[in-house]
Structure formats: structure tokens, C-alpha cells
Amino acid sequence: MSEIYAVIGGSGLYGLDQDFRVESSQKPNTPYGDVSSDLIVGEMRGCRTVFLTRHGESHHIPPHKINYRANLWALHELEVSHIIAVNAVGGIDYGPHSLVLPDQIIDYTSDRCHTFFDGEASEVGHIDFSLPYSQSLREKIISAGQAQGIDLITHGTYGCTNGPRLETSAEIQKMQSDGCHIIGMTGMPEAALARELDIEYAAITMVVNWCSGITGSVLDLDEIRQILDSGMDTVIQLISATLAQADR
Ligand code: HPA
């Protein structure tokens, strides 16, 4: 069966490049409410592709207010088979500009609508989430990165906090001893909802700052913006090369 890819853009990624031939734009109603942004549907490198930006077109939706269920449901309705999520993160073990493909998650969020199995369906549903990211999709991204000469860190545990505030230094120390390598605010429940819908899901994360207390320096928001601006072209190049290998 031909694969349909979705790209969920995070901070700094509000569209793809000229390889994305846009055919339509839609904002569907879902049983879970409104999606974050228009779903842009088209073709990229011969692959049917949908683009959605998680924080909204004008970056107005904070991490804890994103309607993850509506976003994932809308992609499921479009029969999306694979999702490449893009997330900006802080680094505990990896420094600014690193691109990390996490392979594990620790979820520190609370009060987010985190499941489709919330008692309304006839049966209680459980998913296996021991490996939270699709290994086959990760391998496709890794091989696209190798072919393009893009440096990727291919292992890492993503700690997901509620935000929108950043962490205290003590919280980062605790997360480091828990085994986290990178920290972000949007990785969950997105990954789990994708698994509930049986969609292959992997994340490309870009480290935009050292986490609190790691280097002793204070967070510089202008620097974060510059890192996002300078790194997104590489992320799009990586996505484009991955889509070029999709089954069609
Ligand atoms: N912590 C949590 N989320 C983030 C960070 C951080 O340091 N940087 C970018 N997203």
C-alpha cells in the first residue's frame, strides 16, 4: 500500500520547501475539537504529504494547550501512515545545533488529554509502548541522513515536561539522573496517540539550548531563534530525502 506521510512542525517550522507541491488546504472538524492549523496537503518528492504546524500558524498555542488528539485524529482521517514530528528541545547531553532522533521517552506531563481510549469506546484499549518511536521510520530517516551527509545522533531519551516555563536546575539534575538526554514540551502525548492510531511515528529534534544548570549560562532567547533559523533548512533536507524513499 502506498505510504502517506505527515510532517508535524514545531517551533521554527511553519512550512516545507519548494519541493512540496501544495494541492489543497483544509481545517477539518474532529470529534475532539479544532486542529492546530490548516492541514496542507500535497506531494513532496513523489510522496503524498500532509503538513501541520503544532503551535498554529502564528505560534500562538502553548505546548499544554495543543489539541494533540484533534491533530492526530485529523491525520488519521486523511489515512496518514507515517508521521515525522519536528521538535525543538533543550540538551542535557547534546549541545545546541545537534539533531537527535530520540528512541525513548519519559513523560513528565500532566493534565493533557493523552488517550483516545478514555472510556467512550466499548473496550478498554492498551498499547505496547516499550519502544515509543517506530524503529522502521527511524531507520529510514537515519539512512536518508547518511546519504545526505547530515550528522544525526541516533539515540536519546526525550523527557517531556508540561511547560511553558523552562525547568529549574534541580529538575534538570533529576531528569538527568532519570536517564533523559534531551528535554522538550511537545513530544507527549503526540507519540502515544500516534501509536494508538497505529501510525508509524518518529521525531527529529533540534537542540536549541543547553538545559538549565548544565553550563551555568542564562538562556538567550535571541540565540535560540538564530539556531532554529539556521538549522531548519537541514531538517527539511532530511525530511525531503526521507520522503524520496517512501513506498508509492
Ligand atoms: N526545556 C524544555 N523544552 C525546551 C527547552 C528546554 O530547555 N528548549 C526548547 N524546548
Side-chain angles (χ1 to χ4, degrees):
M1 217 172 93
S2 54
E3 298 174 340
I4 303 180
Y5 271 69
V7 177
I8 303 183
S11 298
L13 185 63
Y14 307 104
L16 297 172
D17 65 6
Q18 67 287 346
D19 285 343
F20 185 36
R21 297 212 312 275
V22 175
E23 291 165 15
S24 66
S25 160
Q26 45 189 278
K27 201 158 193 179
N29 285 321
T30 80
Y32 303 98
D34 291 336
V35 292
S36 291
S37 70
D38 284 351
L39 303 185
I40 315 295
V41 182
E43 197 180 281
M44 190 161 179
R45 308 290 303 272
C47 174
R48 191 113 208 98
T49 304
V50 183
F51 180 81
L52 162 73
T53 185
R54 192 188 279 121
H55 294 284
E57 284 96 350
S58 51
H59 198 98
H60 61 284
I61 311 174
H64 62 294
K65 290 259 177 80
I66 292 168
N67 192 339
Y68 296 94
R69 289 199 302 181
N71 290 348
L72 273 286
W73 191 260
L75 297 177
H76 171 66
E77 291 276 274
L78 290 177
E79 298 182 5
V80 162
S81 56
H82 292 69
I83 295 175
I84 301 177
V86 180
N87 312 77
V89 295
I92 294 179
D93 291 78
Y94 310 122
H97 301 281
S98 305
L99 290 180
V100 185
L101 289 196
D103 54 358
Q104 276 299 333
I105 297 175
I106 298 179
D107 187 6
Y108 299 97
T109 65
S110 54
D111 298 325
R112 296 186 179 187
C113 291
H114 62 280
T115 179
F116 293 109
F117 300 133
D118 60 359
E120 285 153 20
S122 51
E123 280 177 50
V124 177
H126 300 286
I127 51 165
D128 174 22
F129 205 47
S130 38
L131 297 175
Y133 297 102
S134 157
Q135 191 53 26
S136 67
L137 181 52
R138 294 179 72 258
E139 277 163 13
K140 286 180 191 176
I141 298 170
I142 292 166
S143 85
Q146 278 164 350
Q148 297 290 309
I150 297 172
D151 277 342
L152 289 178
I153 295 162
T154 58
H155 296 287
T157 296
Y158 179 125
C160 189
T161 61
N162 247 5
R165 71 165 175 84
L166 293 158
E167 301 72 35
T168 66
S169 302
E171 285 167 338
I172 291 297
Q173 266 176 35
K174 174 183 183 295
M175 290 177 206
Q176 183 170 30
S177 72
D178 283 352
C180 295
H181 303 104
I182 51 175
I183 305 293
M185 301 174 189
T186 53
M188 285 293 283
E190 204 173 81
L193 293 169
R195 179 65 54 83
E196 287 186 353
L197 295 173
D198 212 14
I199 301 175
E200 305 282 325
Y201 179 98
I204 301 172
T205 69
M206 186 195 291
V207 179
V208 295
N209 58 279
W210 284 108
C211 283
S212 167
I214 297 290
T215 62
S217 58
V218 179
L219 215 73
D220 179 338
L221 294 181
D222 283 339
E223 201 179 312
I224 290 181
R225 251 174 249 120
Q226 274 169 22
I227 293 170
L228 280 172
D229 285 350
S230 66
M232 276 307 162
D233 285 351
T234 309
V235 171
I236 294 173
Q237 184 191 347
L238 180 59
I239 291 170
S240 183
T242 306
L243 298 187
Q245 305 171 31
D247 291 342
R248 60 206 70 173

